[in-house]
Amino acid sequence: MSLEKKYPKEVKQLLAKYPPEHKRSAVMPLLYLAQREEGYITREAMQDIARILEITETEVASIVGFYTLYHDKKEGKYRMQVCTDLPCALRGADEFLDNLCANLGIKVGETTEDGLVTLESVMCLAACDRAPMFQTQGPRRHQVSRVHDRGPHHGIGRGVEEE
Amino acid sequence: MTHILLRHRDIPDINTLNVYKKNGGFAAFKKAVTKMKPAEVTEVVKNSGLRGRGGAGFPTGMKWAFIDKNNWPHYVVANADESEPGTFKDREIMEGNPFQFLEGVAIASYAIGANAAYVYLRGEFWELAAFLDEKIAEMEEAGYLGEDLFGTDYSLKIYTHLGAGAYICGEETALLESLEGKRGQPRVRPPFPPSYGLYGKPTIVNNVETLTNVPLILANGADWYKSMGTVDSAGVKIFSLSGRVRKPGNYELPFGTTFRQLIYEYGMGIQEGRPVKAIMPAGASSSLIAVDDKVLDTPMDYAAVRTLGADLGSASVIVLDDTVSMDWVVNKTIHFFKHESCGKCTTCREGNYWMRNLTERIHSGKGTGADVDLLLNVAKQMQGKCLCALGEFSTMAVVTGIERFPQDFKQAVRSNS
Ligand SMILES: Cc1cc2nc3c(=O)[nH]c(=O)nc-3n(C[C@H](O)[C@H](O)[C@H](O)COP(=O)(O)O)c2cc1C
Ligand code: FES
């Protein structure tokens, strides 16, 4: 089903945020909408967005490619994003990430065998006072599902599953 | 001290409309719209000495006065991209005291004659954007946003817009490109946003913290605001303190507070009682300051920090103790900048690629003295040749790290030299 058919109300609301002659501005929110359910953006969704905004599919794809929060292939149902930037690294983020890898049995960038968790090492999340900081991104909302303070070093895979 | 910005720490539930109103909320916006001319509002902000909190410290009232009055419509864009490593103040403002921030956006909009304003938030703040959307809806409901405000013919709408994970979109012209639905890459300047901004129209881009100061400046007057802080830097600043301190966090303090007070009184000193070795006062974009007693007793304002060979920037103070080696720090910062370079200009793209290879080699113990020299050389070659400040920022820790902490780099390459 096309994006407009599936989310008629949302598409209309998003377009209303910008002057009609500059509707291209809606490309980012529309991409989030397209990514809401499966966690990635399909070729068809990009075509839909291109049609809605009257731009080319290549232009839409170049936006997807530029920004790190858009994904064009299916990965884990949950994305576990561990900040390893300087302030967090000064408070044990690298060791925290190593522990997480060991517990999940995967390396950074990989997905657990059950397809549940993709592990990512990310840049500063603007919460350095809670270092080491990580967050989990899931399908239920269109983006991040929860911010954790000082998460436990083990049992994280399980916690996510139960959520 | 009672807070001016982080007022949620003193007033519970100030993030609800009623409590905010009971504490003087929207009186300043109403006064502006019903009793003042736009230019008068700008004049008060100018006289207050308020400077931009996004990093550059540009006088806010002066920026508003630059808006091109011969080209319409005008826009206000609030910069809520907050992506500088070590910065986490705008998040707290918007979560804790959202209406004061939104009132600041509204007053700025009135002052420059904008009928639409956008709040551009980093993509990771999606939950916060949804929260602001609720607050904006409440303001519309209560008649603080929408058509014909307070019985005048002034109208204003505020919209949120989410980025999607790109540090460069904090740079104001890249932000505007992104808001237009393009790749977030900086524009060649001039022209600057007050003459050529969103959709090519005159636009004022201000940081969240900057705008959050405005309602109380208007309510209490420019002299009240100027009575705080220093002659160079008026008012209060939120210092985001992180790294090896015992108590990291946001501390709202007058400009002129010393590093020593921030680190020892508020941050409760260094973990395990170790000595401070270096400070990065402006996040990962900072120069590294080698710390001694004189540095610790330096008052933090824009001018004084400059005398230490650094910039105060967004005042994201990262504290490094004597267990930290600067080759490791530089490897971390370059990892960040290599990842975030937008690729538009060759100097920054290629320079960061080379710096990344070198810092990695040096830090992993495979480097030589010649690698350190080359790294310093590459960084210096880049300076002054990048399209925007990101490339410039990427060289700061490298150059000051090698020049001010030569011992750390000698140590890192000792087995191969
Ligand atoms: C690479 C780069 C990143 C920036 N990131 C931010 C940011 O996250 N937030 C911000 O307010 N300003 C940021 N700035 C500064 C903006 O370009 C701009 O100066 C600022 O938003 C102006 O607002 P102000 O005058 O209120 O400080 C950044 C600048 C550069 C060069
Ligand atoms: S460095 Fe990890 S949240 Fe800022």
Side-chain angles (χ1 to χ4, degrees):
Chain A
M1 207 195 302
S2 74
L3 206 60
E4 309 99 296
K5 283 235 173 69
K6 200 159 169 192
Y7 299 109
K9 202 177 95 219
E10 284 89 345
V11 170
K12 219 173 128 204
Q13 276 171 352
L14 291 176
L15 286 171
K17 284 183 161 188
Y18 311 96
E21 67 276 27
H22 298 294
K23 62 180 176 180
R24 180 185 177 135
S25 281
V27 67
M28 294 179 75
L30 286 174
L31 285 168
Y32 279 126
L33 188 64
Q35 190 168 265
R36 185 183 279 184
E37 254 163 58
E38 296 295 327
Y40 74 107
I41 298 156
T42 60
R43 177 96 199 270
E44 292 72 46
M46 288 191 218
Q47 288 166 346
D48 291 345
I49 292 171
R51 189 180 58 248
I52 297 170
L53 301 179
E54 297 172 74
I55 55 180
T56 67
E57 194 190 329
T58 316
E59 285 174 296
V60 178
S62 93
I63 302 291
V64 174
F66 184 81
Y67 296 96
T68 56
L69 293 181
Y70 297 129
H71 310 286
D72 58 6
K73 58 178 187 297
K74 193 169 177 67
E75 290 184 287
K77 188 166 175 200
Y78 294 92
R79 281 173 191 279
M80 197 157 258
Q81 305 176 318
V82 180
C83 170
T84 51
D85 225 336
L86 178 62
C88 278
L90 285 165
R91 302 178 83 84
D94 290 320
E95 297 75 16
F96 177 75
L97 181 61
D98 286 346
N99 272 325
L100 208 51
C101 287
N103 273 297
L104 293 168
I106 52 174
K107 293 203 208 61
V108 172
E110 291 180 350
T111 303
T112 50
E113 241 169 56
D114 56 9
L116 216 51
V117 178
T118 300
L119 191 59
E120 294 177 340
S121 152
V122 301
M123 303 294 145
C124 180
L125 293 166
C128 329
D129 50 339
R130 306 178 220 174
M133 169 74 182
F134 78 97
Q135 60 182 21
T136 315
Q137 198 178 18
R140 208 161 298 170
R141 307 275 195 86
H142 74 291
Q143 269 251 5
V144 187
S145 72
R146 197 199 278 162
V147 169
H148 303 254
D149 293 13
R150 262 173 231 277
H153 284 225
H154 45 76
I156 283 164
R158 189 154 29 91
V160 166
E161 209 169 334
E162 282 160 6
E163 199 189 317
Chain B
M1 196 190 101
T2 50
H3 295 86
I4 290 165
L5 304 165
L6 303 176
R7 278 163 83 209
H8 54 285
R9 294 189 179 184
D10 308 320
I11 307 170
D13 299 326
I14 196 162
N15 66 3
T16 62
L17 191 85
N18 275 336
V19 174
Y20 183 65
K21 252 167 59 183
K22 266 194 212 121
N23 286 278
F26 304 117
F29 181 43
K30 184 173 177 185
K31 178 169 93 176
V33 174
T34 56
K35 302 213 169 72
M36 296 171 81
K37 293 205 181 71
E40 289 170 347
V41 176
T42 301
E43 200 56 28
V44 174
V45 174
K46 219 189 231 174
N47 293 337
S48 75
L50 178 65
R51 298 171 62 169
R53 305 297 194 236
F58 192 83
T60 306
M62 198 192 290
K63 188 191 276 189
W64 294 5
F66 284 154
I67 194 92
D68 180 355
K69 293 181 193 70
N70 297 315
N71 189 1
W72 297 85
H74 294 172
Y75 293 102
V76 164
V77 176
N79 190 341
D81 195 59
E82 188 154 69
S83 304
E84 179 67 40
T87 313
F88 44 92
K89 63 191 177 63
D90 298 335
R91 185 203 276 271
E92 183 175 348
I93 292 174
M94 292 185 287
E95 282 174 356
N97 194 9
F99 288 115
Q100 189 171 321
F101 159 59
L102 292 169
E103 186 177 358
V105 174
I107 295 169
S109 300
Y110 177 75
I112 66 147
N115 300 114
Y118 290 92
V119 180
Y120 184 103
L121 301 108
R122 61 179 294 175
E124 293 84 350
F125 285 176
W126 70 273
E127 212 165 9
L128 192 47
F131 175 73
L132 287 183
D133 283 341
E134 284 169 26
K135 302 292 154 189
I136 290 167
E138 285 174 38
M139 282 173 69
E140 284 175 0
E141 186 91 349
Y144 297 120
L145 290 175
E147 305 284 315
D148 302 334
L149 297 172
F150 312 111
T152 70
D153 62 0
Y154 182 64
S155 307
L156 177 65
K157 294 277 259 176
I158 301 180
Y159 305 98
T160 59
H161 181 99
L162 274 182
Y167 167 72
I168 187 60
C169 290
E171 193 283 329
E172 58 187 13
T173 62
L175 185 154
L176 294 171
E177 287 287 297
S178 177
L179 187 48
E180 290 182 3
K182 302 176 191 148
R183 298 156 70 96
Q185 292 181 318
R187 296 174 180 168
V188 178
R189 292 167 304 166
F192 293 94
S195 48
Y196 188 92
L198 182 61
Y199 309 128
K201 296 296 174 187
T203 301
I204 294 300
V205 183
N206 271 135
N207 170 259
V208 170
E209 183 185 352
T210 312
L211 292 164
T212 307
N213 275 288
V214 170
L216 293 198
I217 290 175
L218 216 58
N220 300 330
D223 290 337
W224 165 79
Y225 196 74
K226 257 198 314 218
S227 73
M228 298 173 287
T230 65
V231 174
D232 170 76
S233 314
V236 295
K237 178 81 192 78
I238 301 175
F239 296 90
S240 294
L241 182 64
S242 71
R244 289 286 231 252
V245 288
R246 289 208 176 95
K247 208 164 153 262
N250 285 319
Y251 298 98
E252 179 187 319
L253 301 165
F255 278 108
T257 304
T258 64
F259 283 111
R260 191 189 298 282
Q261 285 171 303
L262 177 68
I263 294 170
Y264 288 94
E265 263 174 54
Y266 297 95
M268 307 294 286
I270 306 302
Q271 293 179 342
E272 296 161 27
R274 306 198 74 97
V276 185
K277 177 174 174 180
I279 294 173
M280 302 181 83
S285 298
S286 275
S287 296
L288 280 154
I289 302 175
V291 169
D292 56 20
D293 276 335
K294 180 179 144 267
V295 169
L296 285 175
D297 289 321
T298 304
M300 293 181 286
D301 74 11
Y302 295 108
V305 172
R306 203 152 293 150
T307 66
L308 304 176
D311 274 305
L312 185 58
S314 52
S316 324
V317 181
I318 307 176
V319 179
L320 310 167
D321 68 11
D322 65 339
T323 63
V324 180
S325 181
M326 298 308 143
D327 65 291
W328 177 83
V329 172
V330 164
N331 193 39
K332 275 284 177 198
T333 60
I334 291 304
H335 178 72
F336 174 79
F337 287 110
K338 156 85 174 51
H339 186 267
E340 299 297 342
S341 175
C342 81
K344 183 162 173 172
C345 77
T346 321
T347 316
C348 177
R349 186 181 62 234
E350 299 294 318
N352 270 290
Y353 172 81
W354 283 106
M355 290 202 294
R356 174 67 180 153
N357 287 346
L358 288 163
T359 60
E360 190 67 44
R361 189 147 79 220
I362 293 164
H363 177 62
S364 67
K366 297 193 197 95
T368 62
D371 288 327
V372 177
D373 294 342
L374 182 58
L375 176 60
L376 182 62
N377 196 0
V378 172
K380 285 196 164 164
Q381 289 287 328
M382 289 171 67
Q383 292 185 331
K385 298 193 190 71
C386 301
L387 176 62
C388 85
L390 189 150
E392 229 44 61
F393 291 164
S394 70
T395 67
M396 302 311 281
V398 173
V399 172
T400 54
I402 296 174
E403 287 183 345
R404 297 174 188 175
F405 300 90
Q407 223 32 57
D408 287 20
F409 286 84
K410 274 205 192 99
Q411 186 72 15
V413 300
R414 72 186 176 287
S415 49
N416 307 315
S417 298

